[in-house]
Amino acid sequence: LIARFDQERLKRVWVLLDQWSSGIVDSSKIVENAASDSAKAVREAQMRRIKMRELGRAALQCYGIIAEPLGERFNSRIPDFLKTIDNALSVSLRTWKQAEAKLNAAAAGQAVDLEQLAANLHSGADPQQEALTYWETAYMALNTFGRFAKATSARSVGDQGQSRIWLLAMSHLTHPHAWVRLAASRLFGVYVANADPSWMLEAESDSDSSSSVVEDAQEEWDVPVYAGKPKYVLMSVHRLRELAHSMLIQLSGRSLAPDLGNQIVKNLFFISKCFFTAVPAAPVVDANKDVSASLGSFDSAGNGADDSDSSDSDDDDDDDHDGDAGNAEAADLEKVPAERSLLWLIHRVGRLARTEIIRGRGATEKRNYCFRWFAAIVTLIPPAILVQPSYIMPIISSLHRTTEDTQVAQTKSLVAVVKTPEQQLADLKDLASEVLKLVESRIGVTAYTSLVNKIRRHVDTVRQTRRERRKQLAIVDPELHAKKKIRKHENSRRRKIEKIQFKNSRSQRTNIIVRRAPKA
């Protein structure tokens, strides 16, 4: 129907869309201007804000419907369309970050769980939390731009006007709402489909790369101005590391739906291929050197991260240090040389899998996608490089630990799950065994057996060390030893109670009374 419109009717459509689109920016200023007025004026301003926000979303949805059918007739409208997408994502990012900063300041430095609040929202509901006010606007803008990028794939990564939109979309990868995170990940899936891993080296050697960012972001919700070649906007080493870091944050979230997890694996695999182009043909780390010392400062866990893997299942107190090392990853990304970016990513994913083993209380969602990425990366890296301990140990350690895992999930996920916890653990063990067989076929039986034996020896050594440490603590500080022992028994009792409660909740069935219709 839209394709049959003549030019006169299209002009009316454009006027209407311009009016609706202006509501996105105007709605963000209404409540601010009415903040000093009476309570009645503020309520009226909030109602106007909701209506203008809905009109803005309607404009974005209409753009997504009419862009593809119009074909070349839509070309003259592309600048206005991109401006609307830019405004929608900018308003969403600014509102979210400003409200989040206020909440954290009011909570005395403690992070507010916006992800839990977002999980309780329904489509069309007006969020009471300011940080989530424009989540539907951001979701619609990302989906609409994704449809446009698919329809114009040849230009989707080559238009100067779209560089800022890609950077804004990258900031939405860590949005509190799961739908927005999924839309942003799918959008980068479109970028990945049209990009080439060799672009990373081209972006680094580009004559404009040194001055590609001509203006830094002044606030957390600002994005830098990009002046380089548009198709390289996300292909620098720095941008790819930021992308990978944001997707790992997505992977560590609690609202990890299957669609989002699969898209994260695909995106991370493309980033891995980009990083692999910078890996030298010679091994990065000498096999005769200690792995943890050879990795450098960007991965404090190194080979020593296996300490956490080899911890006793009943010693919760000694595992508190693991998993927190990733908090400072974003600040240390600049210290990672380009040729070690793939190594950094492998250790980061391995650490995420190990953290779920230790602290996940039987959860399997994150390891499921980590192991799938391991399977893809094992086929990418040549055996001569893969066999190096710095590459293979983060992969094998979490896989081997999972094959011997017996802890069943006892906490409910925010995402609906069909299978029982026992079935999830059995499927994860099967996946881990398959990936281990793939690793064995890639590096050889001899090297694989040697690595597995090294892990087992390391497990025994760490456990023996911790036993001796507990004995020494009982002599040096009996009071602290008693407190730890009491806390250990309390945790054990709590896990038993939770296990019983979980089994009881599963065994309860709702009695359904079937009423028969009266006979005629």
Side-chain angles (χ1 to χ4, degrees):
L1 182 62
I2 293 293
R4 297 178 181 178
F5 278 15
D6 56 16
Q7 196 63 27
E8 187 65 27
R9 289 184 177 179
L10 281 178
K11 287 183 179 179
R12 298 177 184 176
V13 172
W14 303 144
V15 171
L16 190 61
L17 290 180
D18 286 339
Q19 294 176 353
W20 291 357
S21 301
S22 61
I24 298 175
V25 178
D26 295 341
S27 63
S28 63
K29 302 177 181 179
I30 289 179
V31 178
E32 297 177 2
N33 296 335
S36 59
D37 299 338
S38 62
K40 181 179 180 181
V42 172
R43 286 195 299 269
E44 292 177 353
Q46 290 176 345
M47 295 301 299
R48 291 198 306 271
R49 181 190 194 184
I50 294 174
K51 293 181 180 179
M52 297 178 71
R53 206 169 62 224
E54 291 176 349
L55 288 175
R57 292 200 302 267
L60 291 170
Q61 191 170 9
C62 290
Y63 271 125
I65 295 173
I66 67 180
E68 186 175 359
L70 288 179
E72 295 182 356
R73 300 170 63 189
F74 188 73
N75 290 347
S76 60
R77 194 64 190 177
I78 288 179
D80 296 319
F81 165 73
L82 296 179
K83 183 179 179 181
T84 301
I85 299 294
D86 189 311
N87 290 337
L89 295 179
S90 298
V91 169
S92 169
L93 181 62
R94 183 178 68 252
T95 307
W96 160 34
K97 292 298 183 181
Q98 286 179 340
E100 188 178 45
K102 291 180 181 178
L103 287 172
N104 292 336
Q110 297 180 355
V112 180
D113 192 359
L114 291 175
E115 186 176 352
Q116 180 65 47
L117 296 175
N120 297 329
L121 281 177
H122 301 285
S123 179
D126 184 42
Q128 301 297 320
Q129 182 53 252
E130 182 70 16
L132 302 172
T133 302
Y134 287 92
W135 79 265
E136 288 182 299
T137 303
Y139 174 74
M140 194 64 65
L142 292 169
N143 278 342
T144 301
F145 184 68
R147 297 181 64 176
F148 170 76
K150 288 181 180 179
T152 59
S153 57
R155 296 177 298 168
S156 61
V157 294
D159 190 341
Q160 183 67 50
Q162 300 181 28
S163 298
R164 175 178 163 83
I165 296 178
W166 287 111
L167 296 176
L168 287 168
M170 186 173 69
S171 300
H172 281 79
L173 284 170
T174 56
H175 193 277
H177 204 285
W179 288 18
V180 179
R181 294 198 299 271
L182 177 59
S185 294
R186 285 176 174 172
L187 179 58
F188 284 103
V190 177
Y191 183 92
V192 164
N194 295 280
D196 188 88
S198 62
W199 288 3
M200 190 190 78
L201 296 180
E202 295 176 9
E204 293 299 316
S205 61
D206 183 28
S207 58
D208 296 333
S209 61
S210 59
S211 59
S212 58
V213 179
V214 298
E215 182 182 345
D216 295 332
Q218 299 298 323
E219 300 289 349
E220 189 179 3
W221 53 85
D222 290 337
V223 296
V225 178
Y226 183 79
K229 293 181 180 179
K231 72 176 185 177
Y232 298 148
V233 61
L234 299 177
M235 293 303 296
S236 66
V237 175
H238 174 69
R239 292 293 179 204
L240 288 173
R241 288 172 185 163
E242 287 185 345
L243 274 174
H245 182 68
S246 298
M247 290 173 186
L248 289 172
I249 293 177
Q250 286 186 334
L251 198 58
S252 62
R254 288 174 294 166
S255 303
L256 188 59
D259 291 343
L260 178 58
N262 292 330
Q263 190 62 58
I264 291 173
V265 173
K266 294 176 183 178
N267 294 344
L268 285 179
F269 182 60
F270 173 79
I271 295 175
S272 304
K273 291 193 292 185
C274 295
F275 287 159
F276 182 70
T277 59
V279 176
V284 176
V285 180
D286 186 357
N288 296 325
K289 294 182 179 180
D290 181 70
V291 178
S292 60
S294 62
L295 287 178
S297 60
F298 69 89
D299 189 5
S300 59
N303 195 29
D306 292 326
D307 292 352
S308 59
D309 284 343
S310 54
S311 60
D312 292 306
S313 59
D314 60 350
D315 193 0
D316 295 326
D317 298 329
D318 292 332
D319 290 330
D320 292 340
H321 69 280
D322 192 79
D324 293 334
N327 295 334
E329 282 292 331
D332 296 336
L333 289 181
E334 293 295 337
K335 301 178 182 179
V336 184
E339 63 273 11
R340 290 174 178 256
S341 297
L342 180 59
L343 198 60
W344 164 81
L345 185 56
I346 291 174
H347 278 267
R348 198 64 186 83
V349 176
R351 186 185 304 160
L352 181 61
R354 294 192 298 272
T355 302
E356 186 180 57
I357 294 174
I358 299 169
R359 299 184 177 182
R361 300 171 68 182
T364 60
E365 294 86 359
K366 300 176 181 59
R367 280 180 287 172
N368 184 20
Y369 300 110
C370 290
F371 293 171
R372 293 183 185 184
W373 182 80
F374 283 157
I377 206 67
V378 164
T379 60
L380 173 67
I381 304 175
I385 299 178
L386 182 64
V387 75
Q388 298 300 314
S390 56
Y391 283 92
I392 199 63
M393 288 300 288
I395 299 176
I396 290 185
S397 59
S398 55
L399 290 169
H400 183 266
R401 172 73 178 265
T402 299
T403 57
E404 299 179 351
D405 193 7
T406 58
Q407 189 177 12
V408 179
Q410 300 173 12
T411 56
K412 294 183 179 180
S413 173
L414 295 181
V415 181
V417 180
V418 178
K419 295 184 178 180
T420 62
E422 291 81 3
Q423 292 173 336
Q424 296 176 37
L425 181 59
D427 292 344
L428 184 65
K429 285 186 175 182
D430 292 340
L431 176 60
S433 299
E434 291 178 4
V435 179
L436 285 174
K437 291 179 181 178
L438 179 61
V439 171
E440 182 180 359
S441 64
R442 291 285 291 172
I443 66 176
V445 178
T446 303
Y448 174 79
T449 305
S450 175
L451 290 170
V452 171
N453 291 334
K454 180 181 178 181
I455 292 175
R456 290 173 178 171
R457 290 194 302 269
H458 189 67
V459 168
D460 296 337
T461 302
V462 171
R463 287 178 177 173
Q464 182 63 29
T465 303
R466 288 180 174 176
R467 293 190 191 100
E468 295 175 357
R469 205 178 353 170
R470 286 193 291 268
K471 292 178 181 178
Q472 293 175 0
L473 183 64
I475 299 174
V476 176
D477 194 344
E479 184 177 355
L480 179 59
H481 176 72
K483 289 181 179 179
K484 285 193 172 186
K485 197 170 183 179
I486 293 173
R487 184 164 51 180
K488 174 183 174 181
H489 289 304
E490 289 176 350
N491 291 335
S492 179
R493 191 182 305 111
R494 173 181 53 81
R495 286 195 293 266
K496 289 180 180 179
I497 294 174
E498 289 179 350
K499 187 175 182 180
I500 294 173
Q501 292 175 348
F502 183 77
K503 287 184 177 180
N504 292 338
S505 64
R506 289 177 55 196
S507 62
Q508 290 177 354
R509 296 182 179 180
T510 305
N511 295 325
I512 302 175
I513 300 177
V514 180
R515 295 182 178 179
R516 297 182 179 180
K519 294 182 179 180

